[in-house]
Amino acid sequence: AQSVAQPEDQVNVAEGNPLTVKCTYSVSGNPYLFWYVQYPNRGLQFLLKYITGDNLVKGSYGFEAEFNKSQTSFHLKKPSALVSDSALYFCAVRDINAGKSTFGDGTTLTVKP
Amino acid sequence: DADVTQTPRNRITKTGKRIMLECSQTKGHDRMYWYRQDPGLGLRLIYYSFDVKDINKGEISDGYSVSRQAQAKFSLSLESAIPNQTALYFCATSDSGYHGYTFGSGTRLTVV
């Protein structure tokens, strides 16, 4: 069975500093990995994905994620955080054969001015 | 108009009542999903459907049922609501490729 772990419930950073939101995964085959963001009172929005190819993938709003197969990680990063990045972030892994995704428990990112 | 529309947005119901949450989409996606979000527990899959004739249970399907009335419509029912079904419910859609899900705005359900 596939699983995703987000080891930090909360991440706090100062505006302008780099941010990292961590994610590790467990799958039996090739990993198909996703990051989503949820703003207050909104549904989840797709940020970026890793399917194959370059280990560094770029997504919306200046976010990027680094895939590391040996560490089974897919950490979300941004070089310079904005207050507007404050939100709940979810990592997910998709079982392509079964067609469904498993989500982590989420990490609340707070960016302070 | 939103690509994935959920109704109602908020609902308060009493224990034992039957309630239906509705989802419709204009994405043209074949696959539709119902997830439940609880604080600290992330999103858990309730049911999913790959076409009108295909319905599959997720990890927490007990106490729920679904109906795929058309490619664009997927409804979730609580036959006899109980307080621990109080949660935020999300409908999502996807194609059969490698794209991310498209989510609705959610239905906040409170069972009293």
Side-chain angles (χ1 to χ4, degrees):
Chain A
Q2 59 192 30
S3 64
V4 172
Q6 294 181 240
E8 301 159 316
D9 292 336
Q10 180 105 24
V11 171
N12 298 311
V13 298
E15 188 174 31
N17 284 0
L19 70 87
T20 299
V21 182
K22 296 179 180 178
C23 172
T24 60
Y25 66 90
S26 174
V27 293
S28 57
N30 291 326
Y32 300 100
L33 300 160
F34 300 80
W35 276 102
Y36 294 85
V37 60
Q38 183 181 26
Y39 297 104
N41 300 315
R42 301 284 296 276
L44 282 74
Q45 299 176 33
F46 167 76
L47 270 182
L48 51 78
K49 65 182 179 184
Y50 172 83
I51 302 300
T52 186
D54 289 342
N55 290 340
L56 186 66
V57 294
K58 295 187 183 296
S60 306
Y61 312 121
F63 283 93
E64 56 191 27
E66 186 172 11
F67 171 69
N68 187 316
K69 188 172 184 178
S70 63
Q71 297 186 4
T72 62
S73 66
F74 188 55
H75 300 332
L76 182 70
K77 300 183 178 185
K78 188 173 183 181
S80 180
L82 300 173
V83 172
S84 57
D85 293 331
S86 299
L88 182 57
Y89 290 82
F90 289 97
C91 182
V93 60
R94 177 177 289 180
D95 181 335
I96 289 296
N97 291 327
K100 56 182 179 173
S101 292
T102 299
F103 288 79
D105 292 343
T107 298
T108 299
L109 172 67
T110 301
V111 182
K112 298 184 178 179
Chain B
D1 290 341
D3 292 326
V4 181
T5 302
Q6 291 185 236
T7 55
R9 289 296 307 273
N10 293 280
R11 180 74 180 266
I12 300 174
T13 192
K14 294 184 177 181
T15 298
K17 292 292 187 181
R18 184 180 188 275
I19 183 170
M20 178 182 290
L21 310 183
E22 298 186 344
C23 177
S24 63
Q25 53 117 344
T26 58
K27 297 286 291 184
H29 289 163
D30 291 328
R31 302 181 176 194
M32 299 187 73
Y33 309 81
W34 276 104
Y35 282 87
R36 165 180 173 160
Q37 183 181 16
D38 297 277
L41 295 179
L43 276 74
R44 293 181 290 167
L45 183 61
I46 306 172
Y47 272 96
Y48 59 106
S49 167
F50 289 170
D51 65 40
V52 174
K53 297 182 179 180
D54 177 78
I55 302 289
N56 304 280
K57 291 184 177 180
E59 57 182 306
I60 55 163
S61 59
D62 288 348
Y64 301 94
S65 63
V66 290
S67 173
R68 184 83 183 265
Q69 300 96 323
Q71 188 209 29
K73 295 183 182 294
F74 192 37
S75 60
L76 175 71
S77 293
L78 287 68
E79 297 300 326
S80 180
I82 57 176
N84 75 1
Q85 291 177 313
T86 293
L88 186 55
Y89 290 84
F90 285 107
C91 175
T93 72
S94 76
D95 59 19
S96 57
Y98 301 100
H99 299 100
Y101 285 179
T102 301
F103 281 85
S105 297
T107 294
R108 186 169 297 280
L109 177 66
T110 303
V111 183
V112 298

